[in-house]
């Protein structure tokens, strides 16, 4: 059975989130950050499976209610699929992307809107 735990499995620490994003996450439970690992571009499918299994074990040790999973696509897909098979809510953060030009610089700002569940 899932506890009231929200796992932030990304490279965006929750202490840098907007108040709106923190509030939305807290609806699922206490926020725990687990950094998404760097993925070796030379790694094959067995490397993804091995890395994924280690991360799945770590995430599941918290008995989460929900997991925000954002990172390298093949590893994320493997982990998302496994979490969903274990009936864990898996989420993506949905944001509005605002681009401003400042002379020769482009400033990109992301404003959190909501979490969206992955569906199968």
């Amino acid at each position: 059975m899932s506890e009231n735990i929200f796992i932030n499995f990304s490279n965006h620490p929750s202490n840098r989130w907007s108040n709106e994003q923190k509030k939305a996450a807290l609806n699922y439970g206490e926020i725990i950050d687990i950094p998404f690992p760097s993925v070796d571009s030379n790694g094959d499918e067995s490397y993804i499976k091995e890395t994924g299994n280690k991360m799945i074990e770590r995430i599941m040790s918290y008995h989460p209610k929900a997991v925000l999973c954002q990172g390298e696509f093949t590893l994320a897909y493997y982990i998302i699929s496994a979490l969903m098979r274990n009936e864990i809510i898996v989420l993506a953060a949905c944001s509005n992307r605002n681009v401003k030009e400042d002379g020769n610089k482009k400033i990109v700002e992301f404003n959190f809107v909501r979490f969206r569940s992955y569906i199968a």
Side-chain angles (χ1 to χ4, degrees), residues 45-61:
E45 290 80 1
S46 64
Y47 163 80
I48 293 297
K49 188 174 183 178
E50 181 180 327
T51 303
N53 287 339
K54 288 178 187 173
M55 298 314 303
I56 292 162
E57 184 177 335
R58 183 171 175 198
I59 291 166
M60 292 300 291
S61 73

Side-chain angles (χ1 to χ4, degrees), residues 33-75:
D33 292 335
I34 298 177
F36 198 97
S38 294
V39 176
D40 184 347
S41 298
N42 292 311
D44 63 7
E45 290 80 1
S46 64
Y47 163 80
I48 293 297
K49 188 174 183 178
E50 181 180 327
T51 303
N53 287 339
K54 288 178 187 173
M55 298 314 303
I56 292 162
E57 184 177 335
R58 183 171 175 198
I59 291 166
M60 292 300 291
S61 73
Y62 289 95
H63 307 286
K65 181 175 185 178
V67 176
L68 169 65
C69 184
Q70 297 189 166
E72 190 276 337
F73 293 117
T74 60
L75 181 59

Side-chain angles (χ1 to χ4, degrees), residues 8-22:
N8 168 30
F9 186 53
S10 74
N11 287 313
H12 304 280
S14 61
N15 64 359
R16 296 171 71 192
W17 289 357
S18 67
N19 288 334
E20 292 82 12
Q21 188 166 358
K22 287 178 190 172

